[in-house]
Amino acid sequence: MSVNSTQTTHITPVTQQEIAQNWQTICHISDLVANAGICALVRDQQIAIFYLPEDNSVFAIDNYDPIGKANVLSRGLIAAHGDELVVASPLYKQHFCLRTGRCLTEEQHSIRSWPARVTGTKVEISAP
């Protein structure tokens, strides 16, 4: 498999109005795996959901790794990179920020991140 590291990935930012209007339940907290990711299919799009039980937080990012060109990020390892929580792609080990989707190792590649929250026992994301 070859990797073209000069290709740039474009991201469309999510507006605050879109966030407020599009919260949807995707699963229950018991469906998640502590300190790991799962993949959810939301509107025909794969989204990687990560659950950190220490602070009852969830993060949602694209499951698609634009460098490895495969839907694998939900299988990546969560780590701290400085002050940033990241997931390391299981293919080529690039680090993607869980909050923003920014690729820390190859900045021309970033992925979308989605607002996510735990409400009671439900996991919700805001995806337009």
Side-chain angles (χ1 to χ4, degrees):
M1 177 183 301
S2 65
V3 177
N4 181 356
S5 63
T6 59
Q7 185 177 7
T8 301
T9 306
H10 297 284
I11 300 171
T12 303
V14 179
T15 67
Q16 291 299 314
Q17 183 178 12
E18 290 172 325
I19 292 170
Q21 295 175 347
N22 295 306
W23 286 108
Q24 59 186 293
T25 300
I26 57 168
C27 64
H28 288 93
I29 197 79
S30 62
D31 296 325
L32 301 179
V33 179
N35 301 309
I38 65 163
C39 181
L41 188 62
V42 179
R43 297 183 185 169
D44 295 326
Q45 178 176 328
Q46 292 189 24
I47 297 178
I49 309 293
F50 296 91
Y51 173 49
L52 299 176
E54 296 82 31
D55 56 1
N56 201 34
S57 61
V58 290
F59 299 92
I61 59 174
D62 282 339
N63 193 37
Y64 187 74
D65 176 346
I67 299 163
K69 301 193 182 316
N71 287 305
V72 295
L73 291 179
S74 62
R75 299 181 192 171
L77 296 175
I78 299 172
H81 189 274
D83 292 337
E84 304 265 10
L85 282 174
V86 299
V87 60
S89 172
L91 294 178
Y92 298 112
K93 313 304 181 213
Q94 285 85 8
H95 293 101
F96 294 90
C97 177
L98 290 178
R99 295 185 193 284
T100 65
R102 183 172 64 95
C103 182
L104 301 184
T105 48
E106 296 188 33
E107 293 190 12
Q108 71 272 27
H109 296 284
S110 291
I111 58 175
R112 289 175 293 187
S113 63
W114 311 95
R117 67 185 182 191
V118 176
T119 303
T121 61
K122 298 176 185 173
V123 177
E124 300 175 328
I125 67 167
S126 178

